[in-house]
Amino acid sequence: MIEYPDTESDPRPPIAFWSAIGCAVVAMLLGIVAPHGGSAWRMPQILEQRVAGALISSGYPGLDMEMDGQRAVLRGFVEHEDDIEGARRAALTAAGAGGAWAGGVTDVDVSGVSVGAFDRPYVWSVRRDGARVVLSGAVPSENVRADLLGVARAVFANADPVDEMRIAGGAPSPAFGQVARDAVRALA
């Protein structure tokens, strides 16, 4: 006598089950890496925008800020000692709980933030003066100062950049460095 297996008691899941699991995994991976506003490869830009917005809305627009993955690095001056912790807290809570799965900022480096002098109004300029390019006024950090001098050397190959900049708090935006770099390039 030939016995046929009982398909109702077969412990193996049907092929449709494994196909559904495979489709779910592919959909999840596409959701993480596909080109859309919330994809993983755009996370540094999104975090940078959110941290910059949080600093502005919390009253710390003049801090120079950059993202290193999910870690925010702040530099510049604040008016009071308590403002250092306030800026750190604003950056840390700018985009959710933080962590590899939750997204958000996981750490904030405030070692480059100190209490210092503020310029009001905050003025910076770049001008061409014959064979020289003069950069003058206030910048939020030594990194921005060095970056601007480097950009001036690169885009004005035959000109001598003159540094008349000073470091001071009070910049109108965390994007001050990028706006100033664009101004140097536009003058070239």
Side-chain angles (χ1 to χ4, degrees):
M1 177 160 119
I2 299 176
E3 288 188 34
Y4 293 100
D6 183 9
T7 57
E8 290 181 12
S9 64
D10 190 358
R12 294 178 294 169
I15 193 122
F17 173 76
W18 290 113
S19 296
I21 295 293
C23 287
V25 168
V26 168
M28 182 179 72
L29 290 174
L30 283 174
I32 292 172
V33 298
H36 59 81
S39 61
W41 62 272
R42 287 205 56 225
M43 187 169 34
Q45 296 91 356
I46 292 168
L47 286 179
E48 186 171 346
Q49 292 168 358
R50 290 193 178 163
V51 170
L55 290 173
I56 290 169
S57 67
S58 297
Y60 310 108
L63 292 177
D64 181 33
M65 181 267 307
E66 72 178 77
M67 293 302 298
D68 180 16
Q70 288 180 269
R71 181 174 178 257
V73 180
L74 306 179
R75 294 181 200 90
F77 293 108
V78 292
E79 291 185 282
H80 306 286
E81 190 70 32
D82 295 345
D83 292 338
I84 296 172
E85 177 58 24
R88 188 192 73 74
R89 197 171 37 257
L92 190 61
T93 59
W101 289 103
V105 177
T106 57
D107 185 38
V108 180
D109 178 2
V110 292
S111 62
V113 179
S114 59
V115 176
F118 268 57
D119 274 11
R120 290 191 178 102
Y122 203 80
V123 178
W124 177 86
S125 69
V126 59
R127 72 181 187 280
R128 183 87 190 237
D129 185 18
R132 303 178 333 149
V133 175
V134 180
L135 297 107
S136 63
V139 293
S141 71
E142 188 60 44
N143 284 12
V144 172
R145 174 190 233 158
D147 190 34
L148 291 173
L149 287 169
V151 169
R153 283 186 192 97
V155 298
F156 293 101
N158 297 327
D160 181 29
V162 177
D163 180 7
E164 294 180 357
M165 296 179 285
R166 67 189 172 289
I167 300 170
S173 166
F176 175 86
Q178 182 60 47
V179 172
R181 282 190 295 276
D182 292 345
V184 172
R185 289 184 185 110
L187 182 62

